[in-house]
Amino acid sequence: MADQKYSKFDTMRRIGFLQGALAISFLLLAAGLFYFQVANGDTYVKLASQNRLRILRMVPPRGSITDINGAPLAVNVRTFNINGYPVDLQKEENVRKVTELLNRRGIPMTEEKFRETVSNQYSAPYRSITVATNLTFAQVAEMVMDKDFGHILFPTPVWKRSYPAAQYAAHIVGYVAEITKEELETKDPGAYRGGDIIGKNGIEGEYESVLRGAAGEEVIEVDSRGRKLRDVSYVRSSKGEDMTLAIDLAAQRYAAELIGKYRGSVIAMNVNDGSIRCMYSSPSYDPNPLTWGISSKEWAALTDHHERPMMNRAISGAYPPASTFKIITGSALLENKVANQNTTVVCRGYFELGGKRFRCWKHSGHGRENIVTALRDSCDVFFYELSNQMGINGLIRTASKFGVGQKTGIDIVGEASGTLAGPEWKKKRIKENWYGGDTVNYSIGQGYVLMTPLQVLRAYAAIANGGRLLKPRINTKAPVESTALDIPPDVLKLIKRGVEEVTRSGTGRRAASYGIKIAGKTGTAQNSQGEDHAWFVGYAPVDRPQYAVVAIAEAGKGGSSVAAPIVGKMLNFLINGKKYEEEKPQENKTPAAQGTETAADREH
Amino acid sequence: MAERFSTSWSDIKKNADWLFVLVTLFLFAFGLAAIYSASASFAKGSAAVSGFVVRQIIWGGIGAFIYIAAVKTDYRNVMKLAAPLLICTVLMLTALLILGHTAKGAQRWFNLGFFRFQPSEFGKVVFALALSKLCAALPPNTPRGIGAAIAVAGAVMLPIMLQPDLGSSLVYAVMLFAVFIVAGMPVRILASIAGAGAAALPLLWLVMKPYQKMRVMVFLDPTVDPQGAGYNVIQSRIAVGSGGLFGKGFMHGTQGKLHFLPEPHTDFIFSVFSEEFGFIGAALVLLLFAVLLWRILNISQYTKDMNGKLFCVAVAAWLWFQIAESVAMSMGLAPVTGIPLPLFSYGGSSILVISLALGLVQSVNVAAKQDRF
């Protein structure tokens, strides 16, 4: 009997239950539809229209960068990429067609490699992928004419940055590369997108906002493959602003030639307006591969290189200023009335403090020295003894006026501030008291004080121009800015006389024999890691100074033998407009000498 | 058992549930409109109507013939063939599995030239027949009854799962459960089966292929892969949502037209329809489906024959699951499974097998009314 197994009533009830469940489930579905279509309909209408609309950003060419004479330092090259959609490129017949097309147009490609290219870039069937890059206009024009091209492929123009001056202006101009995730997070989200290029360094980095221009927008309606159906709107992009730098490319090349194999830098600055005519850091690097994309291995090789070619030593290298610092110590002594022009010290070749002997570089001693002769002879004992009397605080006060320990504010990134040091600094950093010996060392630019070549140059430019501490600038359009040194004019005059004596009859005589009369100072910085660093900083013409030049050669031993000729020749080049040629009287110099390289130019 | 049942034309005319017929025809017509719109951009050259619409009309015509034939034949006569048909189905599914294995890929159909015959679709109606017959004779309230039903279900579901076609095997599972409910399985056993099913879901994850896992993952969070697998979910929801209250109008859906929807004429047909006809249109279709299923369950209530009762329940559960899954999927509320929307989606197998099932349900109705008078 069926009724014993289950009751009819129960079955009816259970079917009724199913009908109830059915009704509830359909009500839920209807509620879902209501939620998406009515309650949130507007959101999805917007999404649907965005779906159909593709906003294409048109990144404008960056502003070009030229040197003071109009020589190109950074330019844009128009190249083309060849793109296609995976839905098309994955078809067997098209693989063959495209491969043949590429080969026909001189781009080597095998079917195997082509399939790999497509699958490597594949993200979705309607996201275009790049088949070939860096094609010229002529190449693309030829390809577009090909019968197979139009159905499967399309060209996209791409601006590439190129640096014709290559390694000669790398540290100044910098380079551009793809924006990093970190940069993307800090930049204005309206202006940048992933994959954009951005200035990374030097002028390219500092003046990014000027050079970049504004991206345009083209709004088009597309189908799901991203194929254009029609134009919707168009906003023109605006090109980045062109820049003219104060840099002279010829001087850059000359600086590279003069410093040769040494690590170090050469900087030339106009002492009246602070414009930088030359800033070369050695060794240098070619920024072009960085812009076009290098492997992480190549990048590591560049950044981990023991000579650190990417570092701009002119502004990032902090060195002991050594004897070049004596103009600052001298100013301090005069300003603090510890000495006047008649004060003399007898140099016996050493100065004794607390039972310790501080040697003069000339072990036999200089005899009686005043401020002018002490600068001329670079006599250490004169500065040891009087600075010890004055104390460290007076010295630091004056050094601070000359900008020691402060960034110069030059318009490229990566500047170091150096170290002003002093008792408080030592207490904080090394947890030790300041000793008299520290002051003695400090007085000749050794010990805790560190300066960048640019800071040293700026101090000398201030002596040359009569007391204005300039803000160095590379962009010709940057305003001329300076601060007064706040040091009495007679003090500066006396120091200036001393510096002029150096090249007339003192340690820097060599610098004065390259076709122009200059004033300047040598320096030999003790280097705990190896040979001494050679400094020379000077300016010319002596009567009405125009340019100041500094050269530092790491491990170059003596300032007078290595660095002085570089400065002398560079000043000659900047003021007389020609390279100095040895063994020839100046009158016989050929006008064509500029830009040519002769063996005689290399002096050792 | 040798008794032959016969239904006369006049009986059919008098006793047929005409509302049921009308709703079926309406749904098929709406489906045609959606296919017409969805496949408009596939139309080649000057042809005003794409091949999909023409073929769907042909399938519909054949379906109508099958429907009438089913009513005329009487479901009780068909029910006698349940066991041999089931054996045939299992054999076909197994053959497909072996073929698919040698072809190194999933294979779901036999290509008969004019039409791809899909045994897992055909199997649904066979399974409904066999299961209702079995559970009517041997109710699932004894271990023996339950064991037999599960053995039959397993024989059909296993080869489908191995294809792998998880979506279709879920349809079978839902049919089985609904029949268990109505056939008088004790409530506590029903509850434990439901519990065990829920507990087995994680196990399913282990046997799923990577693309299946991806579908589930993008269902949980479409942004996991917005350009790939999640794309379909996002685009479909945009299509449905952007339809708004009144829709964008027939042939004016942009999502479907511009190929943002994959498979717009089959899997995502409801999205196309909702985009063009809005909430009003979509709700109307839901209402029609609800009426259809309600009628089927009413017939199940009405008939005294346990075979017919359970068969109607099985068909209702099958259609319900496919409708609910398809509609929920279009909103991104269920994973993408590729289950067709009954009467709507383009596809011969689906239309023919549903025509057969609905024809048999109609036959249950006609026979029940005959008995009463």
Side-chain angles (χ1 to χ4, degrees), chain A residues 509-536:
Chain A
R509 282 184 307 276
R510 300 188 62 139
S513 49
Y514 298 99
I516 189 159
K517 206 177 143 204
I518 72 165
K521 183 76 196 76
T522 55
T524 304
Q526 287 160 17
N527 176 14
S528 56
Q529 271 128 41
E531 300 278 8
D532 294 346
H533 302 323
W535 279 102
F536 194 89

Side-chain angles (χ1 to χ4, degrees), chain B residues 59-135:
Chain B
W59 292 127
I62 301 173
F65 180 77
I66 291 177
Y67 187 100
I68 294 163
V71 181
K72 183 81 180 85
T73 309
D74 198 310
Y75 79 98
R76 285 167 293 194
N77 293 323
V78 180
M79 197 70 91
K80 289 179 201 159
L81 300 171
L85 279 173
L86 184 75
I87 292 167
C88 274
T89 305
V90 174
L91 285 178
M92 279 193 289
L93 286 169
T94 314
L96 206 54
L97 213 56
I98 295 164
L99 269 174
H101 185 72
T102 52
K104 285 189 177 139
Q107 200 165 353
R108 294 181 180 176
W109 53 72
F110 291 109
N111 198 341
L112 303 182
F114 64 99
F115 152 68
R116 287 169 175 171
F117 177 69
Q118 208 172 330
S120 60
E121 279 296 313
F122 181 66
K124 286 170 188 167
V125 71
V126 174
F127 182 64
L129 288 167
L131 188 66
S132 49
K133 193 175 181 186
L134 175 71
C135 287

Side-chain angles (χ1 to χ4, degrees), chain A residues 22 26, chain B residues 20 124 171 174-175 289 292-293 296 313-325 339-343 350 353-354 357-358 361:
Chain A
L22 167 76
F26 272 66
Chain B
F20 184 65
K124 286 170 188 167
V171 174
V174 169
M175 288 163 78
F289 273 125
L292 185 80
L293 298 186
I296 297 174
V313 166
V315 171
W318 151 25
L319 297 183
W320 170 82
F321 182 75
Q322 294 201 178
I323 295 162
E325 156 63 24
I339 290 179
L341 180 61
L343 298 169
S350 171
V353 85
I354 286 168
L358 293 181
V361 169

Side-chain angles (χ1 to χ4, degrees), chain A residues 81-85 89 98-99 102 107 109 114 117-118 121 128-133 135 143 152-154:
Chain A
N81 286 356
I82 299 293
N83 296 73
Y85 291 102
L89 298 179
V98 172
T99 321
L102 291 175
I107 301 163
M109 178 67 77
F114 183 75
T117 310
V118 174
Q121 292 180 50
S128 81
I129 62 162
T130 305
V131 175
T133 56
L135 303 183
M143 284 179 90
I152 316 165
L153 304 170
F154 56 93

Side-chain angles (χ1 to χ4, degrees), chain A residues 349-536:
Chain A
Y350 62 87
F351 167 70
E352 234 173 42
L353 183 69
K356 199 184 163 197
R357 276 188 178 188
F358 292 86
R359 291 208 161 272
C360 186
W361 66 270
K362 191 174 176 185
H363 289 196
S364 58
H366 287 101
R368 190 168 292 273
E369 296 271 34
N370 64 21
I371 180 77
V372 173
T373 57
L375 281 171
R376 180 193 69 194
D377 300 335
S378 202
C379 173
D380 294 336
V381 170
F382 179 87
F383 294 99
Y384 287 154
E385 191 171 325
L386 295 177
S387 298
N388 188 46
Q389 282 177 32
M390 174 174 62
I392 185 64
N393 289 331
L395 190 48
I396 285 175
R397 230 178 2 254
T398 305
S400 184
K401 287 180 183 176
F402 275 97
V404 179
Q406 300 148 32
K407 291 184 179 175
T408 64
I410 188 171
D411 49 355
I412 52 176
V413 284
E415 194 183 6
S417 55
T419 314
L420 178 63
E424 274 170 44
W425 174 89
K426 193 183 176 191
K427 194 118 206 171
K428 228 163 78 186
R429 290 289 293 271
I430 313 180
K431 315 248 181 310
E432 266 183 39
N433 286 326
W434 189 268
Y435 301 115
D438 294 331
T439 308
V440 169
N441 266 330
Y442 199 110
S443 72
I444 60 154
Q446 302 283 2
Y448 297 118
V449 61
L450 292 175
M451 288 173 81
T452 66
L454 186 63
Q455 283 174 328
V456 171
L457 178 68
R458 188 162 78 131
Y460 276 79
I463 297 287
N465 66 26
R468 282 185 304 124
L469 196 64
L470 288 156
K471 183 171 164 183
R473 62 203 178 87
I474 295 175
N475 179 11
T476 46
K477 282 191 187 149
V480 178
E481 286 176 56
S482 65
T483 48
L485 269 184
D486 189 26
I487 290 173
D490 55 320
V491 169
L492 295 177
K493 234 175 245 164
L494 212 52
I495 298 293
K496 202 171 172 207
R497 242 181 72 201
V499 173
E500 283 162 19
E501 283 299 320
V502 175
T503 43
R504 188 173 300 144
S505 53
T507 52
R509 282 184 307 276
R510 300 188 62 139
S513 49
Y514 298 99
I516 189 159
K517 206 177 143 204
I518 72 165
K521 183 76 196 76
T522 55
T524 304
Q526 287 160 17
N527 176 14
S528 56
Q529 271 128 41
E531 300 278 8
D532 294 346
H533 302 323
W535 279 102
F536 194 89

